[in-house]
Amino acid sequence: MTALSSSSPRWIALGAGHADRYGLGPKARWLDVARGRGLSVPRGVVVLDETWRLASSHGLVEHVDGTVRCPSPPALAAWLGLPSFRGRVAVRSAFAAEDGAAESHAGRFTSRLRVEAEDPTALAEALCAVWSSAARLEPAPARDVLILEMVEATHAGVAFTERDYQDDRVNYTTGTAEALVAGADAGHALTVPALAPWETDAWQPPGAPFAPRLQHLLRDVRQLVGPGDWDVEWADDGTRCWLLQVRRVTRPVRRNEAFTLANHKEILPELPSRFMTSLITSCAADLFGYYRAFDPSLPRRRLFIETFYGRPLINLSLLTDMMRHWGLPTRLVTDSIGGGTDQAFGFNLGRLRRKVPVLVRLGLAQLTSVASAERAIQQIHVQTLAPGPTLSALLGAMQRVYTALVREMFSLTQAMSGPLAVLRRTGTLAEHNARHRTIATQLYADLDALRTYVAAHPSLRPALQRGEVPADPGFAARWRAFLAVHGHRGVYESDVAQPRFHEAPAPLLQSLAAPPRTLPGRPRTATGWATRPLWAQAARAMRARERLRYEAMRAFDRLRQALLHEADRWVAAGVLPDREALWLLEVEEMQRLEAGWRPPDGFFAARAAEQEHLRTYDLPDLLYRFDDLDAQPNLESGAPSDRLHGLSLTPGVLRGRAWVAAAPTATLPDGFDPATTILVARAIDAGWVPTFALVAGVVVETGGDLSHGSIILREIGLPAVTNVQGATRHLATGQPVQLDAGRGVVRLDGAAGGTQDAANRS
């Protein structure tokens, strides 16, 4: 950094390009670069760090009890020699320690708005207040100060533009936004489609006339600062949208994304085992990695699968964003797996042209999908013949098998989806399906052969109806042959906790008491003959997909038996109450068993009761992250609800006691335990940081998810909810509450105390 002499400039003009020369921090540097590149940045200057030091040495400012004061404002103003400003100005900190890549000190330092620039006293007071606030950090940072002309805003706010999303998240209010960023005003939320660098088409939502201008500003900011996640403060005066600040997003905003039960609803029980749900979510990154292998620019951090009410759900918003990123219609996802989105997007030819290489690679993968599936089958077979002697090795093999199964399914399903769509449109799909046979179809045919044998020997039916194998040598031989081929299959076989046919044959045996069925054939049509080549392509992928699943289920069975053998060992050691209790554990908990962890008394009873409670939920096919299925209408007019709703800042579920605090403090009320204390505050800012160290969770009555206080809570990682209207009125200190931060819900609880609940991972 260049040191100032008595003849050096006291300040530099924004846009002059001197930010690097004087070692300015990110806040001032980005505004200097942005204004120099022609972005809409208000006219302003940076009063340099060395300036206040020189002013101090010249006696123009002085330190009194840690506070910077100015004995003679006119003398300071004359010495600074600031340019003339139009109207009032904003005097803001631009300290080098602000807005780092890993940590933000948003809202921690002082700003003064609407300062009369021509009034030396007002200007000196504002500068000294900002300089004084540097003492809030140890060691004190470089004290550069921004002076910007005020924007007479009709709307202003904060926008989060994140590379993993196709939309920008906007929080705005009318007028200027100081109350909004301070968390004293929740403002309004808006989702704005992000424009690519070459795109100019603006989006005009009702009631937000500034949105098109903000869209273009955010596009230009992304071009300026490059890839990353950015927090942008802006103000719109009705004709122009101005950039006031750019800082890195150090903790992502939790968005209300859409999730779907599709696919999992078909292959898993209505409530999967705790083990299988955790296994699926543990594989989520590798599953979406299938698409990222073709396009590394796809999101890295967004979760492909999350858990809600004990069920693994697919992130539909992530998949539709992938379509938008590629310029493809979002209905390709929603038509395939169901659900819907807030906005439907069609073809985007500009994006599509740029993603042709990605789509070509995907197409080539579909052409080789059958061969790829065969290689995966061989790998699955090798990996599960001798997976290893430890529980961790078994779990690792389970994860690899599940990941390989799903990733190959992606490719095979895509390979057959196009031809099947054409065949469906021509009306010949049912005709071709009637003649199609796979290894899964063979299971049905072999069962029917057993029914034919039973039909010829009616005396076997009583035993079969009881779910028993009849004492008939001919039937027994046929049954053993059936199990040798199909015994590793089962009902909801994708959940490894579910028994296989060779373990629980009663439902199959009972079904054999029914008479055999002859399915009607379908005659060939001229269109059917004409579309046979297309059907051959689809059928090849369909057969490969069923064979892949068949072999994966054989591997599942081997791993299931090995896991049950381990469970017997833990039962003998007194760790598990019975072998089936293994499926009440999550993958991480199973791994901890080998490290010496032992479930406490009552653990399995509580976990089983929790599973039974989760079984009572009837999830819709489409669920949003912040949906609360427990919410019930309040039937008693005027009575306060037993649950309050807000905006989720961080995930986490905990029970404890409310602590309604009017101001920050470093002392808990008597009898309160930090592990079970849930802070309830009207609003928060950086001054609450010491208080956060005393509590396990935070409920904020007024605030937006993009305010400074919200940024701090996300960085700390406490389970936290903001904008919970009426929280300080409806909750009282000492009241038992349950905080479901991931869904933005605060419930009045029936029992005081409690401990952190790690059960909810959504």
Side-chain angles (χ1 to χ4, degrees):
M1 183 174 76
T2 300
L4 289 176
S5 67
S6 58
S7 61
S8 297
R10 312 285 186 251
W11 49 267
I12 60 172
L14 285 179
H18 297 320
D20 289 335
R21 177 182 176 187
Y22 290 99
L24 300 185
K27 182 186 289 189
R29 183 167 64 85
W30 283 125
L31 290 182
D32 178 56
V33 174
R35 185 172 171 84
R37 299 274 184 89
L39 272 69
S40 298
V41 176
R43 181 168 168 265
V45 301
V46 183
V47 178
L48 299 167
D49 173 61
E50 290 296 325
T51 298
W52 90 272
R53 299 181 187 274
L54 282 172
S56 180
S57 66
H58 294 337
L60 294 169
V61 296
E62 58 188 19
H63 296 267
V64 179
D65 297 329
T67 301
V68 179
R69 296 181 181 177
C70 177
S72 176
L76 177 63
W79 181 76
L80 287 173
L82 294 172
S84 297
F85 291 102
R86 296 184 295 268
R88 294 174 293 182
V89 296
V91 182
R92 310 179 66 184
S93 62
F95 304 156
E98 288 190 71
D99 307 329
E103 184 180 14
S104 171
H105 294 289
R108 188 166 295 190
F109 306 112
T110 297
S111 294
R112 289 284 189 267
L113 305 182
R114 302 181 185 84
V115 177
E116 294 292 344
E118 302 303 320
D119 181 349
T121 300
L123 185 61
E125 188 279 331
L127 283 169
C128 289
V130 175
W131 283 329
S132 297
S133 66
R136 296 171 187 170
L137 273 189
E138 290 292 342
R143 306 187 194 204
D144 301 310
V145 177
L146 272 169
I147 301 179
L148 294 173
E149 289 183 344
M150 286 290 299
V151 175
E152 296 302 322
T154 58
H155 295 87
V158 186
F160 271 37
T161 178
E162 299 172 279
R163 57 188 157 186
D164 279 358
Y165 293 88
Q166 294 298 304
D167 296 307
D168 295 329
R169 180 79 170 82
V170 178
N171 203 193
Y172 72 95
T173 189
T174 55
T176 54
E178 58 266 31
L180 183 74
V181 297
D185 178 4
H188 307 282
L190 185 66
T191 299
V192 178
L195 295 177
W198 62 87
E199 293 175 334
T200 59
D201 291 340
W203 177 65
Q204 178 62 73
F210 60 86
R213 295 185 291 273
L214 177 59
Q215 258 188 308
H216 286 94
L217 177 66
L218 294 174
R219 177 202 61 191
D220 295 343
V221 167
R222 286 190 293 272
Q223 287 184 272
L224 173 75
V225 298
D229 302 334
W230 302 97
D231 172 354
V232 178
E233 288 188 29
W234 56 274
D236 189 278
D237 62 10
T239 60
R240 195 172 184 181
C241 196
W242 297 87
L243 175 64
L244 303 183
Q245 181 171 312
V246 180
R247 64 162 65 94
R248 287 191 180 274
V249 175
T250 53
R251 297 295 184 275
V253 177
R254 285 178 59 77
R255 302 200 184 197
N256 195 20
E257 296 182 276
F259 291 80
T260 178
L261 275 172
N263 289 17
H264 288 157
K265 187 175 183 179
E266 299 173 6
I267 63 175
L268 293 172
E270 196 282 325
L271 179 67
S273 68
R274 191 63 164 255
F275 168 76
M276 198 65 207
T277 293
S278 69
L279 181 93
I280 292 172
T281 53
S282 74
C283 298
D286 287 336
L287 297 180
F288 192 68
Y290 170 82
Y291 296 108
R292 291 202 73 259
F294 296 100
D295 185 356
S297 66
L298 288 174
R300 289 176 176 272
R301 297 174 306 184
R302 292 172 68 182
L303 297 178
F304 179 51
I305 296 172
E306 295 186 36
T307 301
F308 295 87
Y309 301 95
R311 285 88 167 166
L313 271 65
I314 296 173
N315 190 332
L316 186 63
S317 294
L318 175 58
L319 293 179
T320 54
D321 267 9
M322 181 175 71
M323 293 293 104
R324 293 170 61 187
H325 185 61
W326 290 343
L328 297 172
T330 53
R331 64 175 175 79
L332 293 179
V333 171
T334 54
D335 288 353
S336 174
I337 65 174
T341 55
D342 294 331
Q343 278 186 282
F345 291 84
F347 281 105
N348 184 314
L349 296 180
R351 298 185 183 191
L352 185 61
R353 282 194 297 268
R354 287 164 174 80
K355 290 298 179 181
V356 164
V358 171
L359 300 178
V360 168
R361 289 194 295 271
L362 275 166
L364 292 175
Q366 293 173 24
L367 294 178
T368 60
S369 59
V370 173
S372 178
E374 284 298 326
R375 290 193 297 272
I377 288 171
Q378 295 304 316
Q379 292 171 359
I380 287 171
H381 181 73
V382 170
Q383 290 173 354
T384 57
L385 277 180
T390 66
L391 189 56
S392 294
L394 290 173
L395 294 173
M398 191 78 224
Q399 290 169 322
R400 290 191 294 273
V401 171
Y402 183 82
T403 300
L405 170 64
V406 175
R407 288 176 63 129
E408 295 299 327
M409 285 283 187
F410 285 159
S411 183
L412 291 166
T413 301
Q414 290 164 6
M416 52 193 266
S417 60
L420 290 180
V422 176
L423 293 169
R424 189 178 294 107
R425 188 175 293 274
T426 62
T428 60
L429 182 57
E431 174 183 336
H432 291 299
N433 268 327
R435 291 171 170 79
H436 185 58
R437 295 293 180 267
T438 67
I439 200 163
T441 322
Q442 188 61 41
L443 187 151
Y444 182 90
D446 289 349
L447 279 175
D448 218 42
L450 284 169
R451 290 192 187 97
T452 301
Y453 183 86
V454 173
H457 302 79
S459 62
L460 304 181
R461 285 200 174 98
L464 291 172
Q465 289 169 344
R466 294 192 301 270
E468 300 171 358
V469 177
D472 178 85
F475 180 89
R478 288 169 171 79
W479 178 247
R480 286 193 298 271
F482 174 87
L483 290 181
V485 178
H486 306 292
H488 63 280
R489 309 301 295 263
V491 179
Y492 290 123
E493 60 192 6
S494 290
D495 188 342
V496 74
Q498 295 293 315
R500 312 291 116 168
F501 287 147
H502 69 85
E503 298 172 290
L508 273 186
L509 292 168
Q510 290 166 343
S511 73
L512 297 178
R517 296 180 60 192
T518 302
L519 298 179
R522 284 181 177 267
R524 284 284 191 193
T525 64
T527 308
W529 282 106
T531 54
R532 282 189 69 186
L534 194 60
W535 168 253
Q537 179 182 346
R540 183 167 173 263
M542 291 175 71
R543 282 191 291 269
R545 190 175 73 161
E546 292 308 316
R547 174 167 150 70
L548 171 66
R549 183 172 185 80
Y550 176 91
E551 294 297 340
M553 292 306 103
R554 190 186 295 279
F556 268 32
D557 186 32
R558 283 196 288 264
L559 293 171
R560 171 181 161 82
Q561 303 312 315
L563 285 169
L564 287 173
H565 178 75
E566 287 294 303
D568 290 338
R569 185 165 66 87
W570 292 114
V571 170
V575 176
L576 300 180
D578 55 69
R579 63 181 351 211
E580 290 301 314
L582 182 73
W583 312 122
L584 291 172
L585 295 173
E586 298 179 0
V587 168
E588 182 185 3
E589 291 167 337
M590 286 192 188
Q591 293 169 334
R592 289 169 58 198
L593 284 179
E594 286 189 326
W597 173 73
R598 296 295 178 264
D601 291 344
F603 174 89
F604 288 103
R607 183 62 61 85
E610 183 180 358
Q611 287 295 101
E612 286 305 308
H613 175 67
L614 291 172
R615 201 180 305 279
T616 64
Y617 290 101
D618 182 15
L619 268 63
D621 288 345
L622 182 67
L623 184 76
Y624 287 87
R625 175 177 280 124
F626 301 155
D627 285 353
D628 180 16
L629 300 190
D630 288 318
Q632 298 291 335
N634 185 18
L635 301 179
E636 184 180 351
S637 177
S641 172
D642 65 350
R643 80 185 64 242
L644 304 172
H645 296 265
L647 298 172
S648 169
L649 296 178
T650 51
V653 179
L654 61 92
R655 285 184 172 138
R657 290 197 290 167
W659 173 32
V660 182
T665 177
T667 306
L668 279 176
D670 290 341
F672 275 70
D673 179 358
T676 57
T677 298
I678 299 173
L679 172 66
V680 181
R682 186 185 63 81
I684 59 168
D685 60 13
W688 289 81
V689 171
T691 307
F692 296 155
L694 306 177
V695 300
V698 181
V699 175
V700 184
E701 183 172 82
T702 304
D705 59 353
L706 307 186
S707 66
H708 289 321
S710 297
I711 292 171
I712 293 168
L713 282 170
R714 279 196 295 269
E715 288 193 349
I716 294 172
L718 282 173
V721 179
T722 190
N723 199 29
V724 183
Q725 298 180 15
T728 58
R729 295 193 309 274
H730 294 312
L731 300 175
T733 295
Q735 188 171 22
V737 294
Q738 179 176 336
L739 173 61
D740 188 344
R743 295 189 176 87
V745 177
V746 184
R747 301 183 182 90
L748 275 64
D749 206 349
T755 57
Q756 180 79 24
D757 179 3
N760 190 306
R761 307 293 187 192
S762 62

